[in-house]
Structure formats: structure tokens, C-alpha cells
Amino acid sequence: QVQLVQSGAEVKKPGASVKVSCKASGYTFASYGISWVRQAPGQGLEWMGWISAYNGNTNFAQNLQGRVTMTTDTSTSTAYMELRSLRSDDTAMYYCARWGLPYAFDIWGQGTVVTVSS
Amino acid sequence: QSALTQPASVSGSPGQSITISCTGTSSDVGGYNYVSWYQQHPGKAPKLMIYDVSDRPSGVSNRFSGSKSGNTASLTISGLQAEDEADYYCSSYTTSSTLVVFGGGTKLTVL
């Protein structure tokens, strides 16, 4: 079945970096993009950015420009999101989601908890 | 502050219908038929309920329907059931500097 499986929970100190993976299966990876969406505790969904699995093109939320990198490895059908210079307000659940035509997040990963604490 | 505006909460009794609104601008909701809606139960990942304003993915109950008028999209749930109690988020493609915007979310309580 079509699914996205994310890497496990992370605990990081302020100023560190975190890299979350998202492995796709059950569909042609290069035919869709992958978006990353985060949700701080008790808060709403925040779109972080998108990467095309076809050609690697990216688009990021303005407030994360310069701190976030998104990549894909088509040989393993895996997408990665790296967030640098972590702050306490980066503590959140991070989701990857398939995004393409239709322009909607139709498949979601199970989420990865990232905790930033000294 | 979210780019799309949703009511913080709505409620209804079992069997009733409710509607959740999602207001944007001509750069997002009003300009494209790429509005989608997501249901999120506590501790779970969001689930796509409506895409392209009014289309339902396979497996989603026909009690869920979507529409749009001008810069406002709406999600209607008819025949409310206890299992519909959840948070609901709208999202839209946008021509602003980002590709996608979300609403702030609406908590649905089934009384």
C-alpha cells in the first residue's frame, strides 16, 4: 500500500541540527513531491516547504529560509528534511506528506517528534 | 497568524449538519480550485477529506462535502457522528512566496 514511514523521535540541544527521513513505498516516488509540515504542541499545522522528487526543485516557507534543507534520494525513495540552528520553538511533531496533482496532501507519514531542550 | 481564517470551534448534535468556513484571498482560495480539507484526531496524523474544493478521496464518507464562493471555502459535514469530533484544517495552493497556506484549524465538538 502507499505509505510514508518516518524516522524516530529526536532530542536536540539549542543550536544543533536535526535530520528527519521519510521513506516512500507503494508508488512511483519521482511522480510526486514531498512537503514537510510541522505542528507545535497544541498548535495548528505549519507548512515548511516542498521538494520535487522528480528534479529536486524546492520551495520553503519564508520564516525558515536559510535554516532548512530538503533533499531526496531516488535510489531509496527517501526524502530528508534538515533543520539547523534549532531553537526551543522548533519543538514540534514533524510530518512528511505526499503533494502533487491533485494539489493536496493525500498521504502522510506517522510523524516524528523533535524536542529542542537544553 | 495563519494565512487562511477558520473559526476556532464549531459544535453540533448527532445527526445535525455543520459547516466550517475558510477565508483567504484572491491569491489563494479565491484564485484557484485547489482547496483541501484535513481531519485530525488527537495524537494522529492529518487525513485528507476533500481536495480540489469539492472532491472526496476514495474511502471518505459522502457525509463530507466541500464548496467555495469567492474567497471563502466551506466544509459541510452532514449527519454528524461522534467519530467526526476532531480538528479540521483547510489548505490552499497560493501564488504568494510560498506554495501552500493552512488555516488555523477548527475544533469540532459533537455534543
Side-chain angles (χ1 to χ4, degrees), chain A residues 80-101:
Chain A
Y80 299 90
M81 184 283 298
E82 182 178 32
L83 189 60
R84 299 177 294 279
S85 302
L86 289 169
R87 310 185 293 245
S88 58
D89 62 358
D90 292 317
T91 293
M93 179 72 81
Y94 287 74
Y95 294 102
C96 62
R98 190 174 78 168
W99 194 80
L101 280 175

Side-chain angles (χ1 to χ4, degrees), chain A residues 100-104, chain B residues 25-37 50-55 66-73 91-95:
Chain A
L101 280 175
Y103 286 146
Chain B
T25 68
S26 57
S27 295
D28 38 66
V29 173
Y32 304 90
N33 289 326
Y34 295 138
V35 177
S36 51
W37 290 90
I50 296 287
Y51 66 94
D52 291 354
V53 175
S54 59
D55 289 341
S67 62
K68 189 183 82 167
S69 177
N71 294 336
T72 298
S91 178
S92 175
Y93 173 80
T94 177
T95 53

